[in-house]
Amino acid sequence: MDILAEIAGTLLTQAQKPTLAFLMGGMLLAALGSRLEVPEQVYKLIVLLLLLKVGLGAGISLREADPVTLAAPAAAAVALGIALVLIGARSLAVWPGVGRMDGMATAGLFGAVSASTLAAGMAVLDSEGVAYEGYIGVLYPFMDVAALITAIVLARVSAARGTATPGPDGTATVAVGGGGLGPGGLRDILSETARSPAISALLLGLAIGLVARPDVVYADFYEPLFRGLLSLLMLTMGMEAWSRLSELRKVAHAYVLFGLTAPLIHGALGLAAGVALHQLMGFSGGGAVLLAVMAASSSDISGPPTLRGALPEANPSAYVGASTGLGTPVAILSIPLWMALADKLIGL
Amino acid sequence: MDILAEIAGTLLTQAQKPTLAFLMGGMLLAALGSRLEVPEQVYKLIVLLLLLKVGLGAGISLREADPVTLAAPAAAAVALGIALVLIGARSLAVWPGVGRMDGMATAGLFGAVSASTLAAGMAVLDSEGVAYEGYIGVLYPFMDVAALITAIVLARVSAARGTATPGPDGTATVAVGGGGLGPGGLRDILSETARSPAISALLLGLAIGLVARPDVVYADFYEPLFRGLLSLLMLTMGMEAWSRLSELRKVAHAYVLFGLTAPLIHGALGLAAGVALHQLMGFSGGGAVLLAVMAASSSDISGPPTLRGALPEANPSAYVGASTGLGTPVAILSIPLWMALADKLIGL
Amino acid sequence: MDILAEIAGTLLTQAQKPTLAFLMGGMLLAALGSRLEVPEQVYKLIVLLLLLKVGLGAGISLREADPVTLAAPAAAAVALGIALVLIGARSLAVWPGVGRMDGMATAGLFGAVSASTLAAGMAVLDSEGVAYEGYIGVLYPFMDVAALITAIVLARVSAARGTATPGPDGTATVAVGGGGLGPGGLRDILSETARSPAISALLLGLAIGLVARPDVVYADFYEPLFRGLLSLLMLTMGMEAWSRLSELRKVAHAYVLFGLTAPLIHGALGLAAGVALHQLMGFSGGGAVLLAVMAASSSDISGPPTLRGALPEANPSAYVGASTGLGTPVAILSIPLWMALADKLIGL
């Protein structure tokens, strides 16, 4: 079967990806007691460059897109990004014993998008000769940035209410603007989030990509440095993840459950949004499949540096582990499921 | 009109250049109170790499040039670089209320050369079919380095005389070696300048470019990193410029006046030097135009990191603002003026 | 003569190599009292990236090699790497007045391999139409890593025995596991060495290169950054070397003697190993020459950052000076000698 071979090949490639290898290498070094370290100032530079790159790339894609055609799918992508994080915030993040910050960061990563899982989805559709909208890649930053910012704001709201430490009120809801947090408090958190180094860099890159022409510096500098610096980031996160792994011992089952089921629930919501767009504006079946793949995927590129920068107190063992270890394989394996469902519902 | 379209296109490209976008982005971030920062050690690395790159590039160009043909035009370029800074030192830098360091740094940038304005001049001449000397690009580092070193030495001389703080003697002249500063003091300042990290890196790059063969490492490492690191430098300078903008409130008119008139006066001197070279050795009319463009332009690449490294007390709002905001547009808009004058005086 | 022209060209290229130019430039800056410096955290990043790159490169070569054919030559390369360092440990490092750390670091560099000297040897053989095994380049990391790790472990053993400071027992032998150091002590030192940042990075790179597919990030990030960052490392080592040059005044003759003779002795051992492999498995005469060239060469790429990271107390004036100033030219000049001997013994 062509699809199965394609999926198996994608899984193998994922397992051999240097991103994952550096993450596991970092964990191994920490386990063996290595004294290797990435200096703090260098780490800050890496996060700054990675986030500027993510923002610039999103801004450049947006600048080149047609706003009329894009309006409805982009709105759907933003709504999905927010909704997926809210699901995580009301399930994983309120699980007894799960740290609020850890849970919100994990929800953020699962709401955000993996460019390489999306690329795998496109490759499968191409190999089956299924057509999809050419602007589909532009939807990616909409869902991605919406999810990450929602997660960070919710985490900050939660911390401001003093529910960051797991306690008897660990099941309190974290709805936006609800409860004891007034609208002024929420405004403070939004403005605080926008001023944090991580989100500042992301939004600055987005703005420059939209209004200036950073295409050359993007292609010659930010893009080639990106994967390399990501390898160093993963190394650092692996070392940190190992040293904080023990914190998760008692709640590992919660992360495993979330990592296995969230991609399926998220993908179903993404497919539903695609079917709605099909009724509304004739969005293609292939496009609906890719919207499902985006929703099912969890971020392996933009997410970790953003969360590490904006929510330093969250435990990378939790969010990177659940996302890279479980979320990404499940998302890739579920690609044929979305194809079968889309074919049944609206035809491919 | 072809020329006007060319000029308009160049201005638009300049306004969308990422260099300017990152500068304004940095100012915006500072205005909004962002906590983004480029770590100090990283900043030092950026300045080191940028200055090594500028020096290496100049050294490699020099090594490949023919010394006999180059002698007179290079001497003219050096003389122009020094003269343009002296004009600024006796006008802007002694304006009542203008900080001595700020004024000298601005004079240095306006004496130095913008490679992209020079490239715009070449593009205009090419589109009009006007010929010029092939080695013209090699003249650029002569004028550029001469102007920057002159400005730094004059600023240090001025500081050593205790005239760095604007006061009643704010109109004292700052001629080299004159006044109460003995030749020993000047020697100290020259040797101190050469030993400063910024000028050390520039001169080291120049020396290695001249005597060794760093062409591969230059093309594979320094050149591609250059524009990217420049974007980070501009971001930092924008944030610093915003926080120091208020210092300039009372003397903004002096910078505006200088920014609008200096390119025209400098360009006229450059054209005069080109006409003199025409009489002396048959220098072409196109070459004279490009010498005028170089003199009119103000540095946007080599200048800011050099000055930031060597004169950290100078206010980037002053020198980068006047140069990028006023000097560069005026220099580009004046290209047809030099063409008309050169055509009238010696023919194109 | 073709060979002589080839050798002369190689020597000239070596003398103009930016690596050497940056080393001498750093010494010049230090001599002139420049205040240029590479920030400490940046320096650590450079060493980390260089060693990851060396490890990744070796791991990728190994992954692609055929284990059966490679077994005997690789074992010979490892044995040579260890033996060459032991020779240095029993000659230079026990010379009266030579610091134990400095002597061991120098022995390590002379045992390690220079990729560019090896490339010069290949170019000479190619120009003479002499064939050699295609996998010869894969032997390089075996000899290189074996020599560097042996040197670091011996230096640490020596320091643990309190013989690091030259004294009356300066002639004590430093054999592995011998004397008053029990097997537990040696185990500690081996594990300590593996956990040091430098060796951790090297081994991590090796492991990732072997089991994952970091080829793209290697080619797009680590490889292009490598020579550029090496230029900054050499600049720093040059400045440090100058400031510590006076320590060597009394024992300079020992380094000169070692630098002139070690490449010849090492090369002869390499050739002997090649002849033995010829008898054992039909290893070619050209392969034997290249094994001799590898043994004769001293490391100019992987060695300095490894030793600077793992043995920070060793004086770079000693090891980089002896290796770059004497070892490399002698190794290049001796290429025709190994060809003549191999031709006589087993035919080319």
Side-chain angles (χ1 to χ4, degrees):
Chain A
M1 304 267 294
D2 264 7
I3 292 194
L4 288 191
E6 184 86 37
I7 298 278
T10 301
L11 276 180
L12 186 68
T13 307
Q14 287 285 329
Q16 288 193 318
K17 266 203 341 194
T19 315
L20 187 59
F22 276 92
L23 183 73
M24 295 192 324
M27 296 180 77
L28 192 68
L29 287 186
L32 297 175
S34 165
R35 295 191 311 280
L36 184 78
E37 53 169 358
V38 175
E40 180 62 23
Q41 296 207 357
V42 167
Y43 187 80
K44 283 187 182 169
L45 171 71
I46 293 175
V47 171
L48 172 62
L49 285 174
L50 293 184
L51 292 175
L52 277 175
K53 188 264 171 189
V54 170
L56 285 170
I60 291 173
S61 312
L62 280 187
R63 169 161 50 81
E64 286 163 358
D66 168 34
V68 176
T69 325
L70 205 60
V78 168
L80 274 170
I82 296 173
L84 303 183
V85 175
L86 288 174
I87 293 174
R90 289 179 175 271
S91 56
L92 180 68
V94 293
W95 194 286
V98 168
R100 192 57 58 94
M101 284 289 167
D102 301 354
M104 284 311 311
T106 309
L109 270 199
F110 275 80
V113 181
S114 159
S116 57
T117 306
L118 176 59
M122 288 179 176
V124 172
L125 290 185
D126 288 346
S127 77
E128 298 287 306
V130 176
Y132 49 86
E133 282 69 19
Y135 59 80
I136 209 90
V138 181
L139 299 181
Y140 155 65
F142 283 94
M143 196 186 299
D144 199 52
V145 173
L148 293 173
I149 290 184
T150 303
I152 292 163
V153 170
L154 288 187
R156 289 271 157 257
V157 167
S158 165
R161 284 165 158 187
T163 55
T165 48
D169 59 346
T171 50
T173 57
V174 212
V176 177
L181 191 84
L186 178 66
R187 203 159 44 229
D188 283 356
I189 283 167
L190 277 171
S191 109
E192 188 60 18
T193 300
R195 287 206 291 258
S196 75
I199 302 297
S200 286
L202 192 67
L203 296 178
L204 176 68
L206 196 64
I208 290 178
L210 263 177
V211 304
R213 301 251 162 216
D215 307 56
V216 173
V217 76
Y218 180 79
D220 289 359
F221 178 76
Y222 288 96
E223 181 76 16
L225 278 184
F226 185 71
R227 287 197 177 269
L229 292 176
L230 196 65
S231 69
L232 290 185
L233 181 83
M234 284 294 150
L235 185 59
T236 315
M237 293 190 89
M239 290 192 282
E240 194 182 332
W242 180 263
S243 68
R244 298 186 63 180
L245 200 58
S246 60
E247 294 177 18
L248 298 181
R249 209 161 291 167
K250 287 180 190 152
V251 289
H253 57 286
Y255 285 100
V256 170
L257 190 63
F258 184 76
L260 292 177
T261 56
L264 299 174
I265 297 168
H266 292 180
L269 285 175
L271 191 69
V275 171
L277 287 172
H278 174 76
Q279 315 292 5
L280 182 72
M281 54 177 278
F283 201 62
S284 71
V289 170
L290 291 179
L291 212 53
V293 171
M294 270 192 248
S297 77
S298 45
S299 172
D300 51 358
I301 300 274
S302 59
T306 309
L307 292 171
R308 180 60 160 66
L311 298 179
E313 52 281 66
N315 185 343
S317 305
Y319 58 88
V320 178
S323 154
T324 309
L326 298 169
T328 295
V330 173
I332 293 171
L333 285 170
S334 66
I335 295 175
L337 175 64
W338 316 126
M339 289 176 69
L341 287 173
D343 195 20
K344 193 141 229 169
L345 292 168
I346 55 176
L348 279 186
Chain B
M1 305 268 295
D2 263 7
I3 292 194
L4 288 191
E6 183 85 38
I7 298 276
T10 303
L11 276 180
L12 186 67
T13 308
Q14 286 284 330
Q16 287 193 318
K17 269 206 332 198
T19 316
L20 186 60
F22 276 92
L23 183 74
M24 295 192 324
M27 297 181 75
L28 192 68
L29 288 186
L32 297 174
S34 165
R35 296 190 310 280
L36 183 79
E37 55 170 355
V38 176
E40 180 63 22
Q41 295 207 357
V42 167
Y43 187 79
K44 283 186 181 168
L45 171 71
I46 293 175
V47 171
L48 172 62
L49 285 174
L50 293 183
L51 292 175
L52 277 175
K53 187 266 172 189
V54 171
L56 286 169
I60 291 174
S61 310
L62 279 186
R63 167 162 51 79
E64 286 164 358
D66 169 32
V68 175
T69 324
L70 206 60
V78 168
L80 274 170
I82 297 175
L84 303 183
V85 175
L86 288 174
I87 292 174
R90 288 177 176 272
S91 55
L92 180 67
V94 293
W95 193 286
V98 169
R100 193 57 57 92
M101 283 289 167
D102 300 354
M104 284 312 310
T106 309
L109 270 199
F110 275 78
V113 181
S114 159
S116 57
T117 306
L118 176 59
M122 288 178 175
V124 172
L125 290 185
D126 288 346
S127 76
E128 298 286 307
V130 176
Y132 50 85
E133 280 72 20
Y135 60 79
I136 209 90
V138 181
L139 300 180
Y140 155 66
F142 283 94
M143 196 186 299
D144 200 51
V145 173
L148 292 173
I149 291 183
T150 304
I152 292 162
V153 170
L154 288 187
R156 289 272 157 257
V157 167
S158 165
R161 283 166 158 186
T163 55
T165 46
D169 57 347
T171 49
T173 57
V174 212
V176 178
L181 191 86
L186 178 66
R187 204 158 44 229
D188 283 357
I189 284 168
L190 277 171
S191 109
E192 187 60 18
T193 300
R195 285 205 293 257
S196 75
I199 302 296
S200 286
L202 191 68
L203 296 177
L204 177 67
L206 195 65
I208 290 179
L210 263 177
V211 304
R213 301 251 162 218
D215 307 54
V216 173
V217 78
Y218 180 80
D220 288 358
F221 178 77
Y222 288 96
E223 180 75 17
L225 279 185
F226 185 71
R227 287 197 177 269
L229 293 177
L230 197 65
S231 69
L232 291 185
L233 181 82
M234 284 294 149
L235 186 58
T236 316
M237 294 190 88
M239 289 192 283
E240 194 183 332
W242 180 262
S243 68
R244 297 185 62 179
L245 200 58
S246 60
E247 294 176 19
L248 297 182
R249 208 160 292 167
K250 286 181 191 150
V251 289
H253 57 286
Y255 285 101
V256 170
L257 190 64
F258 185 76
L260 292 177
T261 55
L264 299 175
I265 297 168
H266 293 180
L269 285 174
L271 190 70
V275 171
L277 287 171
H278 175 75
Q279 314 293 4
L280 183 72
M281 54 176 279
F283 202 63
S284 71
V289 169
L290 292 178
L291 211 54
V293 171
M294 271 192 244
S297 76
S298 45
S299 172
D300 50 359
I301 301 273
S302 58
T306 311
L307 292 171
R308 181 62 161 64
L311 298 179
E313 53 281 66
N315 184 344
S317 305
Y319 59 88
V320 177
S323 154
T324 309
L326 297 169
T328 295
V330 173
I332 292 171
L333 285 171
S334 66
I335 295 175
L337 175 64
W338 315 127
M339 290 175 69
L341 287 174
D343 195 21
K344 194 140 228 172
L345 291 170
I346 54 176
L348 280 185
Chain C
M1 305 266 295
D2 263 8
I3 293 194
L4 288 190
E6 185 85 36
I7 298 276
T10 302
L11 276 180
L12 185 68
T13 307
Q14 287 283 330
Q16 288 193 317
K17 267 203 337 193
T19 316
L20 187 60
F22 276 91
L23 183 74
M24 296 192 322
M27 297 181 75
L28 193 67
L29 287 186
L32 297 175
S34 166
R35 296 190 311 279
L36 184 80
E37 53 170 357
V38 176
E40 181 62 22
Q41 296 207 356
V42 168
Y43 187 79
K44 283 186 180 167
L45 171 71
I46 293 175
V47 171
L48 172 62
L49 285 174
L50 293 184
L51 291 174
L52 277 174
K53 187 264 170 188
V54 170
L56 286 169
I60 292 173
S61 311
L62 279 186
R63 168 162 49 82
E64 286 164 359
D66 169 33
V68 176
T69 325
L70 206 60
V78 168
L80 273 170
I82 296 173
L84 302 183
V85 174
L86 288 174
I87 292 175
R90 290 177 175 272
S91 55
L92 180 68
V94 294
W95 193 286
V98 169
R100 193 58 57 94
M101 283 291 168
D102 300 354
M104 284 312 309
T106 309
L109 269 199
F110 275 80
V113 181
S114 159
S116 57
T117 306
L118 176 58
M122 289 178 175
V124 171
L125 290 186
D126 288 346
S127 76
E128 298 287 306
V130 177
Y132 50 86
E133 282 69 20
Y135 60 79
I136 209 90
V138 181
L139 300 180
Y140 155 65
F142 284 94
M143 196 186 299
D144 199 52
V145 174
L148 292 173
I149 290 184
T150 305
I152 291 163
V153 170
L154 288 187
R156 290 270 157 259
V157 167
S158 165
R161 285 167 157 185
T163 55
T165 45
D169 58 346
T171 50
T173 57
V174 211
V176 178
L181 191 86
L186 179 66
R187 203 159 44 230
D188 284 356
I189 284 168
L190 277 172
S191 109
E192 187 61 18
T193 300
R195 285 206 292 258
S196 74
I199 302 297
S200 287
L202 192 68
L203 295 177
L204 176 68
L206 196 64
I208 290 178
L210 262 176
V211 305
R213 301 251 162 217
D215 307 55
V216 174
V217 77
Y218 180 79
D220 289 358
F221 178 77
Y222 289 95
E223 180 76 17
L225 278 185
F226 185 70
R227 289 198 175 268
L229 293 176
L230 196 65
S231 69
L232 290 185
L233 181 83
M234 284 294 149
L235 185 59
T236 315
M237 294 191 88
M239 290 191 284
E240 194 182 332
W242 180 263
S243 68
R244 297 186 62 180
L245 200 58
S246 61
E247 294 177 18
L248 298 182
R249 209 161 290 167
K250 287 180 189 152
V251 289
H253 57 286
Y255 286 101
V256 171
L257 190 63
F258 184 77
L260 292 177
T261 56
L264 299 174
I265 297 168
H266 293 179
L269 285 174
L271 190 70
V275 171
L277 287 171
H278 174 77
Q279 315 292 3
L280 184 71
M281 55 176 278
F283 202 61
S284 72
V289 168
L290 291 179
L291 212 54
V293 171
M294 271 192 245
S297 76
S298 44
S299 172
D300 50 359
I301 300 275
S302 59
T306 311
L307 293 171
R308 180 62 160 67
L311 298 179
E313 53 281 66
N315 184 343
S317 305
Y319 59 86
V320 178
S323 155
T324 309
L326 298 170
T328 295
V330 173
I332 292 170
L333 286 170
S334 67
I335 295 175
L337 175 63
W338 316 126
M339 290 175 70
L341 287 173
D343 195 20
K344 195 140 226 170
L345 292 169
I346 55 178
L348 280 185

